[in-house]
Amino acid sequence: MEQVFSYVISLGASVMMPILFTIIGLCIGMRFGKALKSGLYVGVGFVGLGIVTALLTNNFDSPLKEISNLYGLQLKVFDMGWPAAAAVAYGTAVGALIIPICLGVNLLMLLTKCTRTINIDLWNYWHFAFIGAVAYFVMGQSLLWGYFAAIVCYIITLVMADLTAERFQKYYDLQGISIPQPFCQSFTLFAIGVNWLLERIPGLAKSDVDAEGLKKRFGVLGEPLVLGVVVGVLIGWAAQLDIKKVLFLGVTMGAVMELIPRITSLFIDGLKPIAEKTQEVAKKRFGGMKVHIGMSPALVIGHPTTLVCSVILIPVILAIAVFLPGNQFLPLASLAGMFYLFPLILPYTRGNVVKSLIVGLVALVVGLYFVTDMASAFTLAADEVYKTDPTASAAKIPDGFEGGALDFASSLFGYVIYACVKYMRWIGMGVLTLVTVALMLWNRRRIICDEKTVEESYKHGDTKEKDTESPC
């Protein structure tokens, strides 16, 4: 089983998505050609996104490291990036079987009406394996603790995917889609809390500066393309590169800002027919039952507000990380993941650039402390993985440093589970179990209530979709 799922993961999303979506399409009654075309659009989207992300990381990795060396910005926690976190995640006994175990949990929750989300985002299952691997090593290579941490994270993420689905779908106009990725979902609580406070500040409460409003106020300087060029040039200038390289970095960052929305539109072209057909079949065969297809947040990172906030946050968080008291982590390799902060923040801030930027900044500052505190456990896990498998070069931490990564190590869900396991042990296990079970039961009650409401509507001949949120 481990070999089968390892082989599936090694094929990558660009290969497996066309296969998965063709099978799903045929199962729900779509014509073969239409199902295959939907899958191919999604597969091509992943290829394009991989190319653009590589464009960003390959060209900006050296200048950012040069800035760090020039100005003596090195802190003791080295940014390993998400490849190291994924290597740690899948390099343990926990990671080996995480996909079949989580799929089994997902199926059980669907059958018991504890979730509506079918999580097919297999390539982001490493997030669950990562927190499981950290717990596994922290607790003396205990499989019990490892799988417990991973499953708790998975269940909480599925519940959160259901709770945020309506807002997500309405904001992005993506019916039938939810985001069961724990890194993204962990910022939802920051979005709700910080946005609630901002709504009570005079001036901010009535501000409505979305990406389009930014263009009207600042003209061409409000365009994500131009902002990308400006930030790219500033990074090149700070790294003391020659003018040719400075201009090249500017155009490269601008290209990333312009290409991401064009590429992510392919995801939507591929997903919409499948999602719409899934909802149609669910209504016909199962009455008022709703089903959400759990997908990667990659399909919406091309939103203009996400691009604007991400490109502004890159230099801001670098400056803050150096002077933040108690922080030992300087995000460099992880900066490409900045786009993934905002997919579930925007539905709560309604795309407001100022509010989204503040929420993202607060979440990142807190996340830096999470990474710093988790660094010793990350280092322990990475060292053990590298000793076992010297070919896992991504897990090798430079001498004199501890390891860390913004990707998921800065997640609220991941850190809370880690803290409960490390500092509270059996009490922490009890607390996490109670919280997880309570969330499942609450979500089940919501789902049953919502289905009864829809059934009542059907009985009275009201079959139209409602624009308001579910009363349940």
Side-chain angles (χ1 to χ4, degrees):
M1 192 179 288
E2 177 188 343
Q3 289 175 350
V4 168
F5 282 100
S6 295
Y7 181 73
V8 169
I9 289 295
S10 69
L11 290 174
S14 58
V15 174
M16 283 306 299
M17 277 302 177
I19 297 171
L20 275 174
F21 275 96
T22 302
I23 294 169
I24 292 170
L26 292 174
C27 289
I28 59 177
M30 290 177 72
R31 293 197 307 273
F32 174 77
K34 194 171 181 181
L36 178 62
K37 187 179 177 182
S38 289
L40 286 172
Y41 271 133
V42 177
V44 171
F46 274 109
V47 171
L49 198 59
I51 292 169
V52 173
T53 303
L55 187 68
L56 187 65
T57 52
N58 293 343
N59 287 291
F60 283 87
D61 185 53
S62 295
L64 287 170
K65 285 180 180 174
E66 187 62 29
I67 290 171
S68 176
N69 294 330
L70 277 171
Y71 302 101
L73 306 182
Q74 282 287 7
L75 300 174
K76 75 172 188 178
V77 179
F78 185 80
D79 187 358
M80 304 288 289
W82 76 265
V88 169
Y90 285 128
T92 66
V94 177
L97 294 175
I98 197 68
I99 293 177
I101 286 173
C102 285
L103 286 175
V105 170
N106 197 167
L107 179 61
L108 185 62
M109 288 179 69
L110 281 166
L111 293 174
T112 56
K113 295 189 178 183
C114 290
T115 188
R116 282 175 163 161
T117 295
I118 303 170
N119 186 2
I120 64 169
D121 183 22
L122 302 181
W123 291 269
N124 277 319
Y125 273 48
W126 73 263
H127 290 95
F128 310 112
F130 174 78
I131 192 60
V134 169
Y136 170 76
F137 284 112
V138 164
M139 299 305 290
Q141 300 190 20
S142 165
L143 280 174
L144 169 67
W145 283 98
Y147 280 121
F148 170 78
I151 291 168
V152 162
C153 187
Y154 189 73
I155 292 171
I156 291 172
T157 302
L158 282 178
V159 172
M160 287 298 298
D162 286 345
L163 295 175
T164 57
E166 282 190 41
R167 273 184 182 262
F168 175 85
Q169 291 167 12
K170 285 175 184 174
Y171 184 76
Y172 293 105
D173 190 24
L174 281 172
Q175 294 305 309
I177 304 295
S178 66
I179 304 296
Q181 199 234 43
F183 181 69
C184 262
Q185 283 294 349
S186 71
F187 298 116
T188 303
L189 299 179
F190 285 101
I192 294 169
V194 176
N195 187 62
W196 183 86
L197 288 173
L198 296 176
E199 289 285 343
R200 279 145 186 81
I201 297 175
L204 271 177
K206 293 182 179 179
S207 69
D208 189 21
V209 187
D210 59 6
E212 289 302 316
L214 209 63
K215 292 178 190 177
K216 290 176 184 176
R217 289 193 181 196
F218 297 100
V220 71
L221 288 174
E223 294 274 358
L225 167 63
V226 178
L227 276 173
V229 172
V230 171
V231 171
V233 166
L234 286 173
I235 290 172
W237 172 77
Q240 298 182 9
L241 303 178
D242 61 58
I243 187 66
K244 185 168 66 175
K245 290 181 180 176
V246 168
L247 293 175
F248 174 75
L249 284 181
V251 175
T252 300
M253 182 68 92
V256 170
M257 295 298 109
E258 187 66 21
L259 289 172
I260 284 179
R262 296 172 187 262
I263 289 166
T264 53
S265 67
L266 291 169
F267 289 119
I268 295 168
D269 290 340
L271 280 169
K272 270 198 169 181
I274 294 279
E276 287 169 0
K277 186 67 176 177
T278 302
Q279 296 306 316
E280 183 186 319
V281 170
K283 282 179 184 176
K284 281 182 180 176
R285 296 188 182 179
F286 306 105
M289 181 181 174
K290 289 182 184 176
V291 177
H292 305 312
I293 298 174
M295 277 297 298
S296 166
L299 74 160
V300 293
I301 63 168
H303 192 283
T305 301
T306 292
L307 296 176
V308 168
C309 292
S310 299
V311 78
I312 292 172
L313 266 185
I314 287 173
V316 170
I317 200 62
L318 283 173
I320 288 175
V322 176
F323 300 104
L324 195 65
N327 173 57
Q328 289 297 321
F329 177 69
L330 182 69
L332 294 173
S334 295
L335 288 176
M338 195 73 71
F339 302 105
Y340 293 91
L341 263 73
F342 296 100
L344 288 165
I345 290 177
L346 266 54
Y348 291 89
T349 60
R350 297 183 292 281
N352 184 294
V353 173
V354 177
K355 291 177 183 176
S356 300
L357 196 58
I358 294 171
V359 173
L361 185 59
V362 171
L364 266 184
V365 168
V366 174
L368 292 177
Y369 286 115
F370 289 165
V371 179
T372 299
D373 192 50
M374 202 187 286
S376 58
F378 185 102
T379 304
L380 172 65
D383 287 346
E384 289 293 332
V385 168
Y386 185 68
K387 281 179 193 173
T388 306
D389 181 12
T391 63
S393 56
K396 190 177 188 312
I397 298 172
D399 293 337
F401 289 93
E402 289 186 320
L406 202 64
D407 304 68
F408 202 55
S410 64
S411 158
L412 177 66
F413 293 171
Y415 182 77
V416 169
I417 293 169
Y418 160 77
C420 284
V421 168
K422 182 179 180 181
Y423 300 120
M424 297 171 68
R425 302 197 174 234
W426 294 106
I427 294 174
M429 179 181 273
V431 170
L432 288 171
T433 301
L434 285 173
V435 170
T436 305
V437 171
L439 282 172
M440 284 175 65
L441 294 176
W442 179 44
N443 197 39
R444 184 175 186 274
R445 190 173 74 171
R446 286 179 65 255
I447 291 170
I448 292 171
C449 170
D450 193 47
E451 287 180 357
K452 284 180 180 177
T453 304
V454 173
E455 275 180 29
E456 288 297 321
S457 297
Y458 270 82
K459 283 178 184 177
H460 292 90
D462 182 7
T463 59
K464 292 182 180 179
E465 290 289 330
K466 304 292 183 186
D467 292 329
T468 56
E469 291 187 26
S470 167
C472 303

